[in-house]
Amino acid sequence: MTRHPLDRTELAPLWRAVHDRLSSGRPVGRITLVSLDLAAQEALADLLGLDRLPGPRASVTLVRLDTALLDSVGQDTRTVAEAILGPLGDHAAVREAGRAERAALWDWLETHPVLTGQPALAPWAAQLRRTGLLQGSVVATRRFLDDTLTVLAALPAEGLPLPVFATRLLAGDAHALDDGTRLSTAVLRALAALHGTDPPASAADRRALWALAGIADDALSATVLTAGLRPEGTGAVARALTVLTDAGHAAHITLAQLRDPGELLLAPGPVHITENPSIVALAVGRFGPSCPPLVCTAGWPNSAAVLLLRRLAATGATLRYHGDFDGEGLRIAAYVRATTGAGLWRMSTTDYLSARTAAPTGPPPGRVTDAPWDAELATVLRKSGVAVLEEQMADALLEDLADLSPDHPRPA
């Protein structure tokens, strides 16, 4: 390939400056050159027809350079620069495309179902955005966030050891969630935001958060409280639950039993979920063997509770959750809703205001995050500054359950 006649070492500073300015994507009227040695000054003076050397710092208008080049080689500045250094770019367009890619990435994160389903994660997502791109790359950051959200969507786990959980979820990489990895740190910070605690500062803190997420739960000590369940089937779990329900008792099912329950089908209909065991105790005491199906999360649901609820939902049960009207209660409700697909039971703004009328005093609600099922609820709760605990709504909840227990209608 024939070399351009103006592709000379002494003119290289000029062509680099010209190529860079014309690739900026902005209007160019003047080219400024700096640190020109004597040979470069002489070459520029010859090209432009100057009667003296321009000095180490020179400035030339694009019009004058175009005129000089057209006179000498019959080509304008753009053509010469591309012939010597290759096609011009558009830095402004590249920067704008980069901004658009970054904006799309963060929009994707903020609207991801894991975040919209659990607004308590919003501060965690905001911190990730402030931290910026991983390795300066949108692609690498998206891949990392995708892995992080995949893990969060799969939690709580079913009492699996962390390496087994990671292997099943993250392309067979048993060490992906090992202590100190970027992914493990991000997931644990998300769990801390979800539970309203500080990021873990020690190995014990990290183990505690993983345990809350159903990792390495003891399959015998992780249990879920139930009442009124009469599953079909001849498996040991179905038979034991039916016997206890017929006797008017509640039951605790272990994670180990739920991992291999045999057939566990319920007749079509609602399964009501409570946050507090006291509601189950009141229901069993009132309805006895006629108690409608109930499951209790006992605060944040453990792996046994989530596994049972997911199994019931998979067989067609309609799940309906009620909990405390306080900051943590809303976060638990959002968590149960997101992880099991449960609907809400007496958890609207109207329900809260009605309960406040009946119980005007109560503890402060603590840190309140948005309720995805009711846009007004969190605002009203913050403004009120008074929590309504589930026990304060026991009468209303039992009245709802009475409609499902024909042997125990509402009291006159």
Side-chain angles (χ1 to χ4, degrees):
M1 182 176 179
T2 304
R3 188 173 182 179
H4 195 279
L6 294 179
D7 184 7
R8 306 200 307 266
T9 302
E10 59 271 25
L11 286 173
L14 171 65
W15 303 131
R16 286 195 298 269
V18 166
H19 196 279
D20 185 62
R21 289 287 284 115
L22 292 180
S23 294
S24 68
R26 298 177 179 136
V28 178
R30 182 176 294 274
I31 308 294
T32 299
L33 301 95
V34 296
S35 302
L36 297 177
D37 61 19
L38 185 59
Q41 293 178 49
E42 290 175 346
L44 182 62
D46 289 343
L47 180 64
L48 298 177
L50 303 178
D51 56 4
R52 67 183 68 183
L53 295 181
R57 182 181 177 86
S59 179
V60 58
T61 65
L62 188 61
V63 171
R64 183 168 187 178
L65 189 55
D66 274 338
T67 300
L69 292 173
L70 287 168
D71 288 345
S72 61
V73 296
Q75 296 173 325
D76 64 9
T77 305
R78 178 180 291 270
T79 302
V80 174
E82 288 190 318
I84 294 174
L85 294 177
L88 296 172
D90 188 340
H91 299 330
V94 170
R95 286 192 296 272
E96 182 56 36
R99 282 193 291 268
E101 287 182 349
R102 291 191 295 275
L105 171 70
W106 301 124
D107 286 346
W108 166 80
L109 174 62
E110 291 172 4
T111 58
H112 193 281
V114 169
L115 267 75
T116 57
Q118 300 180 74
L121 291 173
W124 168 79
Q127 179 59 48
L128 286 176
R129 183 167 187 165
R130 287 192 295 271
T131 301
L133 297 179
L134 182 63
Q135 302 167 356
S137 166
V138 169
V139 173
T141 306
R142 172 65 182 259
R143 187 182 305 116
F144 168 71
L145 293 176
D146 217 8
D147 284 346
T148 306
L149 294 167
T150 296
V151 172
L152 292 173
L155 295 175
E158 298 174 6
L160 298 173
L162 193 58
V164 175
F165 178 72
T167 298
R168 292 185 180 180
L169 213 60
L170 299 166
D173 186 353
H175 301 290
L177 291 170
D178 281 0
D179 235 10
T181 63
R182 190 187 301 271
L183 182 58
S184 174
T185 299
V187 172
L188 287 169
R189 285 183 174 273
L191 292 174
L194 187 63
H195 291 281
T197 65
D198 293 331
S202 67
D205 292 342
R206 292 189 289 273
R207 286 194 298 272
L209 275 176
W210 282 125
L212 283 174
I215 295 294
D217 272 354
D218 185 304
L220 295 179
S221 63
T223 66
V224 55
L225 175 64
T226 72
L229 296 184
R230 288 186 175 87
E232 298 176 4
T234 58
V237 174
R239 287 187 286 113
L241 286 174
T242 299
V243 168
L244 289 168
T245 295
D246 287 344
H249 293 304
H252 278 95
I253 314 173
T254 69
L255 178 61
Q257 291 165 345
L258 287 167
R259 284 176 174 170
D260 184 25
E263 191 174 25
L264 198 64
L265 301 175
L266 290 182
V271 174
H272 288 77
I273 311 164
T274 71
E275 180 184 340
N276 297 287
S278 58
I279 303 300
V280 175
L282 290 171
V284 170
R286 175 170 172 180
F287 302 117
S290 299
C291 185
L294 289 174
V295 174
C296 179
T297 65
W300 285 92
N302 62 17
S303 51
V306 172
L307 179 55
L308 173 62
L309 293 172
R310 286 174 173 169
R311 288 190 183 280
L312 295 178
T315 66
T318 302
L319 306 180
R320 302 181 64 198
Y321 178 83
H322 186 275
D324 293 335
F325 279 111
D326 61 6
E328 187 167 43
L330 297 194
R331 288 190 290 277
I332 294 173
Y335 185 70
V336 172
R337 181 175 181 262
T339 56
T340 70
L344 280 302
W345 171 31
R346 286 190 179 267
M347 287 292 290
S348 69
T349 301
T350 301
D351 294 316
Y352 169 71
L353 292 174
S354 176
R356 280 277 287 110
T357 300
T361 61
R367 180 176 67 98
V368 178
T369 49
D370 290 344
W373 64 91
D374 188 323
E376 298 180 10
L377 180 54
T379 301
V380 171
L381 183 55
R382 291 188 198 104
K383 184 176 180 180
S384 167
V386 177
V388 173
L389 303 183
E390 192 171 33
E391 291 86 347
Q392 294 172 278
M393 295 186 64
D395 289 343
L397 300 177
L398 292 175
E399 287 178 5
D400 289 345
L401 296 175
D403 290 338
L404 303 173
S405 179
D407 293 340
H408 291 77
R410 298 169 184 255

